[in-house]
């Protein structure tokens, strides 16, 4: 298994760089389809956006760490922030009903539901200083 | 790539053709473009995202916001894209029920009653 690591300042304009690195890392290993690569890029971008938000809310300027594990049949990406932690909605929480034309009120809050649907596995872990989110697309690389 | 928006009129609709990624960093600029168009009296908008390779949940939020504003003013917003990821995200969020995705600007114009 190969690993690629990257740290970024907690600023949203670095998310394009994260997507570029994650997509190219996944591409180099060739273990994901194009659709899976799109899913992974979006899920990782959402996770990093949440990390940036958490750090801003927490007054932190610590770097956000992104670790990409490249396996034969899948990719796992872990995003770790210093944002003081948060409580993720339960995995069973329904997707907000944005589709109802009378209730188009979900201009925010789609990020985590999207992550859960796009990735094959999502786990949130509290760390001493923040949150680590692990997203798997395909089959998780064995460590 | 930096977000760019090119605006043109077509059959009474204002077409906003977007280039670049729409993410949490760039979506405020897209929102500004849409709000400016609406404020200037353009209530029938076609948002052409065919050249947008990436859109995140904040970008979807901007689209939802603009859809609500145009409809509340008696107008409409239609969306153009042929990208698979957008179709899938629209299905996942259920947004496709409120806002179908058209494959071309011409199809978007023809999709229903317009400003005519």
């Amino acid at each position: 298994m190969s690993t690629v690591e990257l740290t970024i300042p907690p600023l949203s304009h670095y998310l394009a760089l994260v997507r570029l690195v994650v997509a190219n890392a996944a591409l180099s290993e060739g273990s994901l389809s194009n659709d899976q690569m799109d899913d992974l890029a979006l899920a990782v971008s959402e996770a990093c956006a949440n990390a940036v938000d958490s750090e801003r809310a927490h007054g932190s300027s610590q770097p956000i760490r992104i670790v990409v594990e490249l396996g034969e049949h899948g990719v796992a990406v872990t995003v770790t922030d210093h944002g003081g932690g948060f409580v993720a909605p339960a995995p069973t929480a329904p997707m907000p009903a944005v589709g109802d034309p009378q209730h188009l009120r979900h201009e925010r809050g789609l990020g985590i539901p999207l992550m859960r649907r796009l990735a094959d596995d999502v786990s949130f872990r509290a760390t001493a200083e923040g949150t680590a989110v692990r997203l798997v697309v395909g089959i998780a690389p064995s460590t | 790539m930096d977000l760019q928006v090119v605006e043109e009129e077509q059959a009474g609709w204002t077409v906003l053709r977007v280039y670049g990624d729409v993410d949490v960093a760039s979506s405020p600029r897209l929102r500004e473009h849409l709000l400016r168009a609406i404020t200037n009296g353009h209530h029938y908008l076609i948002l052409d995202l065919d050249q947008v390779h990436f859109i995140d949940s904040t970008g979807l939020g901007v689209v939802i916001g603009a859809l609500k504003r145009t409809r509340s003013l008696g107008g409409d917003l239609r969306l153009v894209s042929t990208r698979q990821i957008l179709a899938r995200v629209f299905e996942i969020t259920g947004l496709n029920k409120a806002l179908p995705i058209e494959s071309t600007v011409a199809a978007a114009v023809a999709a229903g009653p317009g400003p005519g």
Side-chain angles (χ1 to χ4, degrees):
Chain A
M1 185 193 74
S2 310
T3 301
V4 173
E5 292 191 31
L6 164 77
T7 56
I8 58 163
L11 299 168
S12 61
H13 59 257
Y14 283 98
L15 300 193
L17 178 66
V18 173
R19 294 195 295 271
L20 197 66
V21 168
V22 170
N24 279 279
L27 192 64
S28 68
E29 209 71 17
S31 54
L32 298 184
S33 69
N34 286 342
D35 280 356
Q36 286 178 312
M37 299 247 293
D38 284 344
D39 291 354
L40 181 68
L42 181 47
V44 169
S45 200
E46 296 291 346
C48 289
N50 286 345
V52 169
D53 276 353
S54 299
E55 293 224 1
R56 185 178 300 143
H58 198 60
S60 167
S61 54
Q62 297 276 317
I64 292 166
R65 187 154 167 266
I66 298 107
V67 178
V68 187
E69 301 161 66
L70 302 157
E72 263 184 71
H73 305 290
V75 176
V77 179
T78 305
V79 177
T80 307
D81 67 47
H82 298 80
F86 83 115
V87 179
T92 52
M95 175 68 67
V98 293
D100 184 341
Q102 302 305 313
H103 296 95
L104 284 171
R105 55 191 140 145
H106 290 285
E107 293 180 41
R108 292 185 63 92
L110 291 173
I112 289 173
L114 264 183
M115 278 161 49
R116 291 204 191 276
R117 292 289 295 272
L118 292 168
D120 293 305
D121 188 59
V122 182
S123 54
F124 297 88
R125 185 168 54 82
T127 66
E129 294 176 301
T131 305
V133 183
R134 188 167 192 260
L135 303 153
V136 178
V137 171
I139 298 167
S142 47
T143 46
Chain B
M1 182 184 152
D2 257 6
L3 184 89
Q4 291 185 337
V5 181
V6 177
E7 215 174 301
E8 65 180 41
E9 298 296 314
Q10 196 164 323
W13 291 77
T14 300
V15 182
L16 291 106
R17 191 164 286 124
V18 186
Y19 298 86
D21 287 3
V22 182
D23 68 2
V24 65
S26 64
S27 62
R29 293 236 302 288
L30 179 61
R31 180 184 283 116
E32 280 168 29
H33 274 279
L34 286 160
L35 284 180
R36 194 181 310 134
I38 294 167
T39 305
N40 289 339
H42 303 283
H43 299 163
Y44 286 88
L45 302 179
I46 293 175
L47 190 57
D48 184 349
L49 298 181
D50 206 33
Q51 298 305 314
V52 170
H53 297 236
F54 179 86
I55 184 165
D56 73 1
S57 62
T58 62
L60 294 180
V62 169
V63 174
I64 294 170
L67 177 67
K68 284 194 294 191
R69 277 179 193 94
T70 53
R71 286 187 180 169
S72 73
L73 292 162
D76 201 4
L77 181 141
R78 290 185 190 155
L79 200 61
V80 174
S81 175
T82 55
R83 295 186 181 273
Q84 279 301 313
I85 180 71
L86 190 67
R88 198 152 66 252
V89 166
F90 262 52
E91 259 175 56
I92 290 173
T93 56
L95 202 46
N96 56 341
K97 290 173 205 141
L99 181 60
I101 304 176
E102 308 294 340
S103 55
T104 63
V105 170
V109 169

CSV table of all heavy atoms in Angstrom, one decimal, chain A residues 12-13 15-16 19 35 38-39 41-42 45-46 49 95-96 98-99 101 104-107 110-111 114 117-118, chain B residues 21 23-25 54-58 60-61 64-65 67-69 71 84-85 88-89 92-95 97-98:
chain,number,residue,atom,x,y,z
A,12,SER,N,-10.1,27.9,2.8
A,12,SER,CA,-10.9,27.2,1.8
A,12,SER,C,-10.3,27.2,0.5
A,12,SER,O,-10.6,26.3,-0.4
A,12,SER,CB,-12.4,27.7,1.8
A,12,SER,OG,-12.4,29.1,1.4
A,13,HIS,N,-9.4,28.2,0.1
A,13,HIS,CA,-8.9,28.2,-1.2
A,13,HIS,C,-7.8,27.1,-1.4
A,13,HIS,O,-7.3,27.0,-2.5
A,13,HIS,CB,-8.4,29.6,-1.6
A,13,HIS,CG,-7.4,30.2,-0.8
A,13,HIS,ND1,-7.7,31.2,0.1
A,13,HIS,CD2,-6.1,30.0,-0.7
A,13,HIS,CE1,-6.6,31.5,0.8
A,13,HIS,NE2,-5.6,30.8,0.3
A,15,LEU,N,-8.7,24.0,-0.9
A,15,LEU,CA,-9.4,22.7,-1.2
A,15,LEU,C,-9.2,22.3,-2.6
A,15,LEU,O,-9.2,21.0,-2.8
A,15,LEU,CB,-10.9,22.9,-0.9
A,15,LEU,CG,-11.3,23.3,0.6
A,15,LEU,CD1,-12.8,23.2,0.8
A,15,LEU,CD2,-10.5,22.5,1.6
A,16,ALA,N,-9.0,23.2,-3.5
A,16,ALA,CA,-8.8,22.8,-4.9
A,16,ALA,C,-7.5,22.0,-5.0
A,16,ALA,O,-7.4,21.0,-5.8
A,16,ALA,CB,-8.8,24.0,-5.8
A,19,ARG,N,-8.1,18.4,-3.7
A,19,ARG,CA,-8.8,17.6,-4.7
A,19,ARG,C,-7.8,17.1,-5.8
A,19,ARG,O,-7.9,16.0,-6.2
A,19,ARG,CB,-10.0,18.4,-5.3
A,19,ARG,CG,-11.1,18.7,-4.4
A,19,ARG,CD,-12.3,19.2,-5.1
A,19,ARG,NE,-12.2,20.4,-5.8
A,19,ARG,CZ,-12.4,21.6,-5.3
A,19,ARG,NH1,-12.7,21.8,-4.0
A,19,ARG,NH2,-12.2,22.7,-6.0
A,35,ASP,N,-16.0,7.5,-12.0
A,35,ASP,CA,-17.1,7.9,-11.1
A,35,ASP,C,-16.7,7.8,-9.7
A,35,ASP,O,-17.0,8.7,-8.9
A,35,ASP,CB,-18.3,6.9,-11.3
A,35,ASP,CG,-19.2,7.3,-12.5
A,35,ASP,OD1,-18.8,8.3,-13.2
A,35,ASP,OD2,-20.1,6.5,-12.9
A,38,ASP,N,-14.6,10.8,-8.9
A,38,ASP,CA,-15.4,12.0,-8.7
A,38,ASP,C,-16.1,12.0,-7.3
A,38,ASP,O,-16.1,13.0,-6.6
A,38,ASP,CB,-16.6,12.1,-9.7
A,38,ASP,CG,-16.0,12.5,-11.1
A,38,ASP,OD1,-14.9,13.1,-11.1
A,38,ASP,OD2,-16.8,12.3,-12.1
A,39,ASP,N,-16.6,10.8,-6.9
A,39,ASP,CA,-17.2,10.7,-5.6
A,39,ASP,C,-16.2,11.0,-4.5
A,39,ASP,O,-16.5,11.7,-3.5
A,39,ASP,CB,-17.7,9.2,-5.4
A,39,ASP,CG,-18.9,8.9,-6.3
A,39,ASP,OD1,-19.4,9.8,-6.9
A,39,ASP,OD2,-19.3,7.7,-6.3
A,41,ALA,N,-13.4,12.7,-4.7
A,41,ALA,CA,-13.0,14.2,-4.7
A,41,ALA,C,-14.0,15.0,-3.9
A,41,ALA,O,-13.7,15.9,-3.1
A,41,ALA,CB,-12.8,14.6,-6.1
A,42,LEU,N,-15.3,14.7,-4.2
A,42,LEU,CA,-16.4,15.5,-3.6
A,42,LEU,C,-16.4,15.2,-2.1
A,42,LEU,O,-16.5,16.2,-1.3
A,42,LEU,CB,-17.7,15.3,-4.3
A,42,LEU,CG,-18.9,16.0,-3.7
A,42,LEU,CD1,-18.6,17.5,-3.6
A,42,LEU,CD2,-20.1,15.8,-4.7
A,45,SER,N,-13.5,16.8,-0.4
A,45,SER,CA,-13.6,18.3,-0.3
A,45,SER,C,-14.6,18.7,0.7
A,45,SER,O,-14.4,19.7,1.4
A,45,SER,CB,-14.1,18.8,-1.7
A,45,SER,OG,-13.8,20.1,-1.9
A,46,GLU,N,-15.7,18.0,0.9
A,46,GLU,CA,-16.7,18.3,1.9
A,46,GLU,C,-16.1,18.1,3.3
A,46,GLU,O,-16.3,19.0,4.2
A,46,GLU,CB,-17.9,17.4,1.8
A,46,GLU,CG,-18.7,17.6,0.5
A,46,GLU,CD,-19.5,18.9,0.4
A,46,GLU,OE1,-19.6,19.6,1.5
A,46,GLU,OE2,-19.9,19.2,-0.7
A,49,ALA,N,-13.8,21.0,3.9
A,49,ALA,CA,-14.5,22.3,4.1
A,49,ALA,C,-15.0,22.3,5.6
A,49,ALA,O,-15.0,23.3,6.2
A,49,ALA,CB,-15.7,22.4,3.1
A,95,MET,N,-31.6,12.2,4.6
A,95,MET,CA,-31.2,13.3,3.8
A,95,MET,C,-32.2,14.4,3.9
A,95,MET,O,-33.4,14.2,3.8
A,95,MET,CB,-31.0,12.8,2.4
A,95,MET,CG,-30.7,13.9,1.3
A,95,MET,SD,-29.0,14.5,1.5
A,95,MET,CE,-28.0,13.1,1.1
A,96,PRO,N,-31.8,15.7,4.1
A,96,PRO,CA,-32.7,16.8,4.1
A,96,PRO,C,-33.6,16.8,2.8
A,96,PRO,O,-33.0,16.5,1.8
A,96,PRO,CB,-31.9,18.0,4.2
A,96,PRO,CG,-30.5,17.6,4.7
A,96,PRO,CD,-30.4,16.1,4.3
A,98,VAL,N,-34.5,18.3,0.2
A,98,VAL,CA,-34.4,19.5,-0.6
A,98,VAL,C,-35.2,19.4,-1.9
A,98,VAL,O,-35.5,20.3,-2.5
A,98,VAL,CB,-32.9,19.7,-1.1
A,98,VAL,CG1,-32.0,20.1,0.1
A,98,VAL,CG2,-32.4,18.5,-1.8
A,99,GLY,N,-35.6,18.1,-2.2
A,99,GLY,CA,-36.3,17.9,-3.5
A,99,GLY,C,-37.7,18.4,-3.5
A,99,GLY,O,-38.3,18.6,-4.5
A,101,PRO,N,-40.3,20.9,-3.7
A,101,PRO,CA,-40.3,22.3,-4.2
A,101,PRO,C,-40.8,23.3,-3.2
A,101,PRO,O,-40.4,24.4,-3.2
A,101,PRO,CB,-41.2,22.2,-5.4
A,101,PRO,CG,-41.2,20.8,-5.9
A,101,PRO,CD,-41.1,20.0,-4.6
A,104,LEU,N,-37.5,24.1,-0.2
A,104,LEU,CA,-36.1,24.2,-0.7
A,104,LEU,C,-35.4,25.1,0.3
A,104,LEU,O,-34.9,26.2,0.0
A,104,LEU,CB,-36.1,24.9,-2.1
A,104,LEU,CG,-36.5,24.0,-3.3
A,104,LEU,CD1,-36.7,24.9,-4.5
A,104,LEU,CD2,-35.4,23.0,-3.5
A,105,ARG,N,-35.2,24.6,1.5
A,105,ARG,CA,-34.6,25.5,2.5
A,105,ARG,C,-33.2,25.0,2.9
A,105,ARG,O,-32.6,25.6,3.7
A,105,ARG,CB,-35.5,25.6,3.7
A,105,ARG,CG,-35.9,24.3,4.3
A,105,ARG,CD,-37.0,24.5,5.3
A,105,ARG,NE,-37.9,23.4,5.2
A,105,ARG,CZ,-38.6,22.9,6.2
A,105,ARG,NH1,-38.4,23.4,7.4
A,105,ARG,NH2,-39.4,21.9,6.0
A,106,HIS,N,-32.8,23.9,2.3
A,106,HIS,CA,-31.5,23.4,2.7
A,106,HIS,C,-30.4,23.9,1.9
A,106,HIS,O,-29.8,23.3,1.1
A,106,HIS,CB,-31.5,21.9,2.7
A,106,HIS,CG,-32.4,21.3,3.7
A,106,HIS,ND1,-32.0,21.3,5.1
A,106,HIS,CD2,-33.6,20.8,3.7
A,106,HIS,CE1,-32.9,20.7,5.8
A,106,HIS,NE2,-33.9,20.4,5.0
A,107,GLU,N,-30.1,25.2,2.0
A,107,GLU,CA,-29.0,25.9,1.3
A,107,GLU,C,-27.7,25.5,2.0
A,107,GLU,O,-26.6,25.6,1.4
A,107,GLU,CB,-29.2,27.4,1.3
A,107,GLU,CG,-30.4,27.8,0.4
A,107,GLU,CD,-30.6,29.3,0.3
A,107,GLU,OE1,-29.6,30.0,0.2
A,107,GLU,OE2,-31.8,29.7,0.4
A,110,LEU,N,-25.8,20.0,3.6
A,110,LEU,CA,-25.8,18.9,2.7
A,110,LEU,C,-24.5,18.1,2.8
A,110,LEU,O,-24.4,17.0,2.2
A,110,LEU,CB,-26.2,19.3,1.3
A,110,LEU,CG,-27.6,19.7,1.0
A,110,LEU,CD1,-27.7,20.3,-0.4
A,110,LEU,CD2,-28.6,18.6,1.2
A,111,GLY,N,-23.5,18.7,3.3
A,111,GLY,CA,-22.1,18.2,3.2
A,111,GLY,C,-22.0,16.8,3.8
A,111,GLY,O,-21.5,15.9,3.1
A,114,LEU,N,-24.0,14.1,2.1
A,114,LEU,CA,-23.4,13.8,0.8
A,114,LEU,C,-22.2,12.9,1.0
A,114,LEU,O,-22.0,11.9,0.3
A,114,LEU,CB,-22.9,15.1,0.1
A,114,LEU,CG,-23.8,15.7,-0.9
A,114,LEU,CD1,-23.1,16.9,-1.5
A,114,LEU,CD2,-24.1,14.7,-2.1
A,117,ARG,N,-23.2,9.3,1.5
A,117,ARG,CA,-23.7,8.6,0.4
A,117,ARG,C,-22.6,8.4,-0.7
A,117,ARG,O,-22.7,7.4,-1.5
A,117,ARG,CB,-24.9,9.4,-0.2
A,117,ARG,CG,-26.1,9.5,0.6
A,117,ARG,CD,-26.8,8.1,0.7
A,117,ARG,NE,-27.4,7.7,-0.6
A,117,ARG,CZ,-28.5,8.1,-1.0
A,117,ARG,NH1,-29.3,8.8,-0.3
A,117,ARG,NH2,-28.9,7.7,-2.2
A,118,LEU,N,-21.7,9.3,-0.8
A,118,LEU,CA,-20.7,9.2,-1.9
A,118,LEU,C,-19.6,8.2,-1.5
A,118,LEU,O,-19.1,7.5,-2.4
A,118,LEU,CB,-20.1,10.5,-2.2
A,118,LEU,CG,-21.0,11.6,-2.8
A,118,LEU,CD1,-20.3,12.9,-2.8
A,118,LEU,CD2,-21.3,11.2,-4.3
B,21,ASP,N,-14.2,25.5,-11.0
B,21,ASP,CA,-14.8,24.7,-9.8
B,21,ASP,C,-15.7,25.6,-9.0
B,21,ASP,O,-15.4,26.8,-8.7
B,21,ASP,CB,-13.7,24.2,-8.9
B,21,ASP,CG,-12.9,23.1,-9.6
B,21,ASP,OD1,-13.2,22.7,-10.7
B,21,ASP,OD2,-12.0,22.5,-8.9
B,23,ASP,N,-16.8,25.7,-5.4
B,23,ASP,CA,-16.6,25.1,-4.1
B,23,ASP,C,-16.8,26.2,-3.0
B,23,ASP,O,-17.3,27.3,-3.3
B,23,ASP,CB,-15.3,24.4,-4.0
B,23,ASP,CG,-14.1,25.3,-4.0
B,23,ASP,OD1,-14.3,26.5,-4.0
B,23,ASP,OD2,-13.0,24.8,-3.9
B,24,VAL,N,-16.5,25.8,-1.8
B,24,VAL,CA,-16.8,26.7,-0.7
B,24,VAL,C,-16.0,28.0,-0.8
B,24,VAL,O,-16.4,29.1,-0.4
B,24,VAL,CB,-16.5,26.0,0.7
B,24,VAL,CG1,-15.0,25.6,0.8
B,24,VAL,CG2,-17.0,26.8,1.9
B,25,ALA,N,-14.9,28.0,-1.6
B,25,ALA,CA,-14.1,29.2,-1.8
B,25,ALA,C,-14.7,30.1,-2.9
B,25,ALA,O,-14.6,31.3,-2.8
B,25,ALA,CB,-12.6,28.8,-2.1
B,54,PHE,N,-16.4,20.5,-11.1
B,54,PHE,CA,-16.6,20.2,-9.6
B,54,PHE,C,-17.6,21.2,-9.0
B,54,PHE,O,-17.5,22.4,-9.2
B,54,PHE,CB,-15.3,20.3,-8.9
B,54,PHE,CG,-15.4,20.0,-7.4
B,54,PHE,CD1,-15.3,18.6,-7.0
B,54,PHE,CD2,-15.6,21.0,-6.5
B,54,PHE,CE1,-15.5,18.3,-5.6
B,54,PHE,CE2,-15.7,20.7,-5.2
B,54,PHE,CZ,-15.7,19.4,-4.7
B,55,ILE,N,-18.6,20.7,-8.3
B,55,ILE,CA,-19.4,21.5,-7.5
B,55,ILE,C,-19.7,20.8,-6.1
B,55,ILE,O,-19.9,19.6,-6.1
B,55,ILE,CB,-20.8,21.8,-8.2
B,55,ILE,CG1,-21.6,22.8,-7.4
B,55,ILE,CG2,-21.5,20.6,-8.6
B,55,ILE,CD1,-22.8,23.4,-8.2
B,56,ASP,N,-19.6,21.6,-5.0
B,56,ASP,CA,-19.8,21.0,-3.7
B,56,ASP,C,-21.1,21.4,-3.1
B,56,ASP,O,-21.9,22.0,-3.8
B,56,ASP,CB,-18.6,21.3,-2.8
B,56,ASP,CG,-18.6,22.8,-2.3
B,56,ASP,OD1,-19.5,23.5,-2.7
B,56,ASP,OD2,-17.6,23.1,-1.6
B,57,SER,N,-21.3,21.1,-1.9
B,57,SER,CA,-22.6,21.4,-1.2
B,57,SER,C,-22.9,22.8,-1.1
B,57,SER,O,-24.1,23.3,-1.2
B,57,SER,CB,-22.7,20.7,0.1
B,57,SER,OG,-21.8,21.2,1.0
B,58,THR,N,-21.9,23.7,-1.0
B,58,THR,CA,-22.1,25.1,-0.9
B,58,THR,C,-22.6,25.6,-2.3
B,58,THR,O,-23.4,26.5,-2.4
B,58,THR,CB,-20.9,25.9,-0.4
B,58,THR,OG1,-19.8,25.8,-1.4
B,58,THR,CG2,-20.5,25.5,0.9
B,60,LEU,N,-24.3,23.8,-4.5
B,60,LEU,CA,-25.7,23.4,-4.5
B,60,LEU,C,-26.6,24.3,-3.8
B,60,LEU,O,-27.7,24.7,-4.3
B,60,LEU,CB,-25.9,22.0,-3.9
B,60,LEU,CG,-25.2,20.8,-4.7
B,60,LEU,CD1,-25.5,19.5,-3.9
B,60,LEU,CD2,-25.6,20.7,-6.1
B,61,GLY,N,-26.1,24.8,-2.6
B,61,GLY,CA,-26.9,25.8,-1.8
B,61,GLY,C,-27.1,27.1,-2.6
B,61,GLY,O,-28.2,27.6,-2.5
B,64,ILE,N,-29.8,26.4,-5.2
B,64,ILE,CA,-31.1,26.3,-4.5
B,64,ILE,C,-31.6,27.7,-4.1
B,64,ILE,O,-32.8,28.0,-4.4
B,64,ILE,CB,-31.0,25.4,-3.2
B,64,ILE,CG1,-30.7,24.0,-3.6
B,64,ILE,CG2,-32.3,25.5,-2.4
B,64,ILE,CD1,-30.4,23.1,-2.3
B,65,GLY,N,-30.7,28.5,-3.6
B,65,GLY,CA,-31.1,29.9,-3.2
B,65,GLY,C,-31.6,30.7,-4.4
B,65,GLY,O,-32.6,31.4,-4.4
B,67,LEU,N,-32.7,29.5,-7.3
B,67,LEU,CA,-34.0,28.9,-7.7
B,67,LEU,C,-35.2,29.5,-7.0
B,67,LEU,O,-36.2,29.9,-7.5
B,67,LEU,CB,-33.9,27.4,-7.6
B,67,LEU,CG,-35.2,26.6,-8.0
B,67,LEU,CD1,-35.4,26.7,-9.5
B,67,LEU,CD2,-35.1,25.1,-7.6
B,68,LYS,N,-35.0,29.5,-5.6
B,68,LYS,CA,-36.1,30.1,-4.8
B,68,LYS,C,-36.3,31.5,-5.1
B,68,LYS,O,-37.5,31.9,-5.2
B,68,LYS,CB,-35.7,29.9,-3.3
B,68,LYS,CG,-35.8,28.5,-2.8
B,68,LYS,CD,-35.7,28.5,-1.3
B,68,LYS,CE,-34.4,28.9,-0.7
B,68,LYS,NZ,-34.3,28.6,0.7
B,69,ARG,N,-35.3,32.3,-5.3
B,69,ARG,CA,-35.5,33.8,-5.5
B,69,ARG,C,-36.2,34.0,-6.8
B,69,ARG,O,-37.1,34.8,-6.9
B,69,ARG,CB,-34.1,34.5,-5.4
B,69,ARG,CG,-33.8,34.8,-4.0
B,69,ARG,CD,-32.4,35.5,-3.8
B,69,ARG,NE,-32.0,35.4,-2.4
B,69,ARG,CZ,-31.2,34.4,-1.9
B,69,ARG,NH1,-30.7,33.5,-2.7
B,69,ARG,NH2,-30.9,34.4,-0.7
B,71,ARG,N,-38.1,32.0,-8.5
B,71,ARG,CA,-39.5,31.5,-8.5
B,71,ARG,C,-40.4,32.4,-7.6
B,71,ARG,O,-41.5,32.7,-8.0
B,71,ARG,CB,-39.6,30.1,-8.0
B,71,ARG,CG,-39.1,29.1,-9.1
B,71,ARG,CD,-39.3,27.7,-8.7
B,71,ARG,NE,-38.8,26.8,-9.8
B,71,ARG,CZ,-38.6,25.5,-9.7
B,71,ARG,NH1,-38.9,24.9,-8.6
B,71,ARG,NH2,-38.2,24.8,-10.7
B,84,GLN,N,-21.9,13.5,-15.2
B,84,GLN,CA,-22.5,12.4,-14.4
B,84,GLN,C,-22.5,12.8,-12.9
B,84,GLN,O,-23.5,12.5,-12.2
B,84,GLN,CB,-21.6,11.2,-14.6
B,84,GLN,CG,-22.0,10.4,-15.9
B,84,GLN,CD,-23.4,10.0,-15.9
B,84,GLN,OE1,-23.9,9.5,-14.9
B,84,GLN,NE2,-24.1,10.2,-17.0
B,85,ILE,N,-21.4,13.4,-12.4
B,85,ILE,CA,-21.3,13.6,-11.0
B,85,ILE,C,-22.5,14.5,-10.5
B,85,ILE,O,-23.1,14.3,-9.5
B,85,ILE,CB,-19.9,14.1,-10.6
B,85,ILE,CG1,-19.8,14.4,-9.1
B,85,ILE,CG2,-19.6,15.4,-11.3
B,85,ILE,CD1,-19.8,13.2,-8.2
B,88,ARG,N,-25.7,12.6,-10.4
B,88,ARG,CA,-25.7,11.7,-9.2
B,88,ARG,C,-26.0,12.5,-7.9
B,88,ARG,O,-26.8,12.1,-7.1
B,88,ARG,CB,-24.4,10.9,-9.1
B,88,ARG,CG,-24.5,9.7,-8.3
B,88,ARG,CD,-23.6,8.6,-8.6
B,88,ARG,NE,-22.2,8.9,-8.4
B,88,ARG,CZ,-21.3,9.2,-9.4
B,88,ARG,NH1,-21.7,9.1,-10.6
B,88,ARG,NH2,-20.1,9.5,-9.1
B,89,VAL,N,-25.3,13.6,-7.8
B,89,VAL,CA,-25.5,14.4,-6.6
B,89,VAL,C,-26.9,15.0,-6.5
B,89,VAL,O,-27.5,15.0,-5.4
B,89,VAL,CB,-24.4,15.6,-6.5
B,89,VAL,CG1,-24.8,16.6,-5.5
B,89,VAL,CG2,-23.0,15.1,-6.3
B,92,ILE,N,-29.0,12.0,-5.3
B,92,ILE,CA,-28.7,11.8,-3.9
B,92,ILE,C,-29.5,12.8,-3.0
B,92,ILE,O,-30.1,12.4,-2.0
B,92,ILE,CB,-27.2,11.8,-3.5
B,92,ILE,CG1,-26.5,10.7,-4.2
B,92,ILE,CG2,-27.0,11.9,-2.0
B,92,ILE,CD1,-25.0,10.7,-4.0
B,93,THR,N,-29.4,14.1,-3.4
B,93,THR,CA,-30.0,15.1,-2.6
B,93,THR,C,-31.5,15.3,-2.8
B,93,THR,O,-32.2,16.0,-2.1
B,93,THR,CB,-29.4,16.5,-2.8
B,93,THR,OG1,-29.4,16.7,-4.2
B,93,THR,CG2,-27.9,16.4,-2.4
B,94,GLY,N,-32.0,14.6,-3.9
B,94,GLY,CA,-33.4,14.8,-4.3
B,94,GLY,C,-33.7,16.1,-5.0
B,94,GLY,O,-34.8,16.4,-5.3
B,95,LEU,N,-32.6,16.8,-5.3
B,95,LEU,CA,-32.8,18.1,-5.9
B,95,LEU,C,-33.3,18.0,-7.3
B,95,LEU,O,-33.9,18.9,-7.9
B,95,LEU,CB,-31.4,18.8,-5.9
B,95,LEU,CG,-31.3,20.3,-6.1
B,95,LEU,CD1,-32.2,21.1,-5.2
B,95,LEU,CD2,-29.8,20.8,-5.8
B,97,LYS,N,-35.8,16.5,-8.3
B,97,LYS,CA,-37.3,16.6,-8.3
B,97,LYS,C,-37.7,18.1,-8.4
B,97,LYS,O,-38.8,18.4,-8.9
B,97,LYS,CB,-37.9,16.0,-7.0
B,97,LYS,CG,-37.7,14.4,-7.1
B,97,LYS,CD,-38.2,13.8,-5.7
B,97,LYS,CE,-37.5,12.5,-5.5
B,97,LYS,NZ,-37.2,12.3,-4.1
B,98,ALA,N,-36.9,19.0,-7.8
B,98,ALA,CA,-37.3,20.4,-7.9
B,98,ALA,C,-36.7,21.1,-9.1
B,98,ALA,O,-37.3,22.0,-9.6
B,98,ALA,CB,-36.8,21.1,-6.6
